[in-house]
Amino acid sequence: MTRRRVAITGLGLVSPFGGDPDDFFARLLAGESAVRFLQTDDRPRPLAMPFVDCRDFDAEAALGRPLASLLDRFARLGVAAAFAAWDDAGLPRAPAGAERATWGVAWGSALGGVMAFEKGYRDLWQRERDRVSPLSIVLGMNNAANAQISIQLGLGGISTCHSVACASSAIAIGEAFRRVRDGETPVMLAGGSEAPQAYAVARAWEALRVMAGADEESAARCCRPFAAGRGGMVLGEGGAALVLEDWDHAVARGATIHGELAGYGTTCDHSHLVRPAPDGQVRALRAALADGGLAAADIDYLNAHGTATAEGDPVEIAACREVFGDGGPAISATKSMHGHLLGAAGALEAIVTVLALRTGAIPPTAHLDPLDPACAGVDHVTTARHGQPLRAALSSSFAFGGSNAVLAFRAVPGQP
């Protein structure tokens, strides 16, 4: 089998800052935090926690009222990101004949349409209604986003949703990459979306005791991956998508190529549901390098999973030291600014990694002061670096259940 090169021709996201991918990336380079303090009106126990929301997102403006009314929030965020990536790739939304019969969608979401089901509970128990919306199932199903993307864009190939906790969208991108690389289809749209603001979900994460505490004043700086005294992760919502395309197909139609997806590695720790193991992460990192024909010395930047949890961060750094030795690539954890999008995190961070390679700029791990000695021994980026000759980069996603996924990217010389 002849392996095809895989071009990234479209990038799209729904940003907590309200702008496009370039605006989002510029804000990360500036160290700007999107973390805000969330206080709900639920009584007698309101949610009061740091959170990253897309409060300026207008679903009706992005999708039109008829389509928006058929989607839960996670799917609204996902379809809007997919449309943006499709437009960025220069592909028409209207079906263009039989060529799209094999084009497909691979999506990721840990929770799916949980907000639709929570609305049902509220309708039944708080509002004392007798029944829930007849759309509840189609709004809440995990494959709602990819199904609607396939319908709206006329994509007749595979349409699937991967639900693998925090590695969901990284695995979706990796599996889409394999289909294009192996010649099954010339185009795949891949990404993920998440809307974890459901009351029960937020309370469940609080009960796990891995969430950062904060108030109005401290919320923006409360997510501190790799820092001494870090308090934990911050939940976020959003959607992110990439168009993956057979290189020759992209060149033939004159598409702009943002970067190359070169490799994908995935493993399982097979040891514990919530306690990460460095060996599994090491194997995933090395698998991505081998799959992309890359050596450890070729990697100039690594976008870390970096959740700011007490247990997870040192394990990740230990794995990086094992793979890269002393020195190694520049490393940053951008969750410090955009929060943890759970199943959508891998797709959002893949976009960050592609933009780093395209621009030669590396965003920082914000608020990393002082460094936890257990996380020392690598090149942590604490302020943005510009003018970097970046050749290749990795983006890591490590999930509960021990599932690990690493994506390897190459820069494209001469691209803006």
Side-chain angles (χ1 to χ4, degrees):
M1 179 185 296
T2 301
R3 289 190 169 190
R4 314 293 294 177
R5 291 179 70 188
V6 179
I8 301 162
T9 56
L11 303 174
L13 57 79
V14 178
S15 165
F17 299 116
D20 60 14
D22 288 336
D23 173 78
F24 175 73
F25 189 67
R27 291 173 185 263
L28 297 185
L29 290 174
E32 184 175 342
S33 173
V35 181
R36 307 176 176 104
F37 188 72
L38 170 70
Q39 177 110 29
T40 69
D41 58 4
D42 296 287
R43 296 289 181 266
R45 300 178 185 85
L47 293 178
M49 60 193 299
F51 191 79
V52 176
D53 60 33
C54 299
R55 60 184 60 184
D56 295 326
F57 172 62
D58 185 335
E60 291 189 5
L63 306 171
R65 180 175 293 180
L67 179 56
S69 68
L70 295 175
L71 303 174
D72 177 85
R73 185 163 177 84
F74 104 97
R76 290 177 173 182
L77 295 164
V79 175
F83 282 178
W86 201 253
D87 292 346
D88 183 54
L91 293 165
R93 294 194 194 180
E99 66 173 346
R100 296 192 190 181
T102 64
W103 298 11
V105 182
W107 208 249
S109 182
L111 301 172
V114 68
M115 297 290 284
F117 296 126
E118 175 155 295
K119 182 180 182 299
Y121 292 133
R122 290 181 182 272
D123 285 345
L124 291 172
W125 306 115
Q126 291 184 321
R127 302 180 182 99
E128 298 184 349
R129 295 176 179 171
D130 293 330
R131 63 187 65 186
V132 300
S133 166
L135 296 176
S136 295
I137 292 297
V138 294
L139 287 170
M141 62 189 189
N142 277 47
N143 67 319
N146 59 278
Q148 284 288 0
I149 293 166
S150 295
I151 291 168
Q152 297 302 317
L153 298 177
L155 308 181
I158 189 169
S159 183
T160 186
C161 181
H162 298 263
S163 187
V164 198
C166 305
S168 298
S169 56
I171 287 175
I173 293 168
E175 295 302 319
F177 158 73
R178 285 179 172 172
R179 289 180 178 275
V180 177
R181 182 191 63 186
D182 294 347
E184 293 183 29
T185 179
V187 178
M188 286 289 294
L189 201 160
S193 55
E194 207 76 87
Q197 197 180 328
Y199 186 89
V201 169
R203 285 296 189 196
W205 277 103
E206 284 185 331
L208 202 56
R209 300 184 182 275
V210 295
M211 301 284 287
D215 55 22
E216 287 274 7
E217 184 177 349
S218 62
R221 295 180 53 84
C222 71
C223 188
R224 304 170 57 233
F226 312 127
R230 61 194 176 278
M233 57 180 273
V234 171
L235 291 176
E237 68 170 5
L242 301 86
V243 175
L244 307 182
E245 191 167 349
D246 178 288
W247 192 279
D248 292 341
H249 186 274
V251 170
R253 67 179 186 88
T256 296
I257 298 176
H258 298 293
E260 179 181 357
L261 183 49
Y264 164 54
T266 184
T267 64
C268 184
D269 294 345
H270 64 84
S271 58
H272 199 279
L273 278 175
V274 298
R275 185 181 303 130
D279 175 67
Q281 296 182 14
V282 166
R283 289 186 291 112
L285 289 161
R286 287 177 171 160
L289 293 172
D291 193 49
L294 295 162
D298 295 327
I299 304 303
D300 296 313
Y301 172 56
L302 188 150
N303 186 288
H305 187 58
T307 57
T309 58
E311 189 165 38
D313 287 4
V315 168
E316 182 169 9
I317 295 303
C320 289
R321 289 198 302 262
E322 175 69 21
V323 172
F324 298 105
D326 295 334
I331 293 176
S332 68
T334 51
K335 287 184 180 73
S336 55
M337 296 172 281
H338 58 64
H340 193 342
L341 274 63
L342 303 181
L348 184 69
E349 290 158 28
I351 290 178
V352 172
T353 307
V354 171
L355 291 175
L357 287 171
R358 195 186 75 182
T359 63
I362 301 175
T365 302
H367 331 305
L368 180 46
D369 182 31
L371 175 67
D372 180 356
C375 297
V378 299
D379 180 13
H380 287 286
V381 179
T382 56
T383 58
R385 298 178 187 175
H386 298 269
Q388 304 295 299
L390 304 180
R391 300 163 296 165
L394 302 179
S395 181
S396 297
S397 297
F398 304 133
F400 279 179
S403 294
N404 308 303
V406 179
L407 301 170
F409 302 89
R410 282 196 187 94
V412 180
Q415 290 296 93

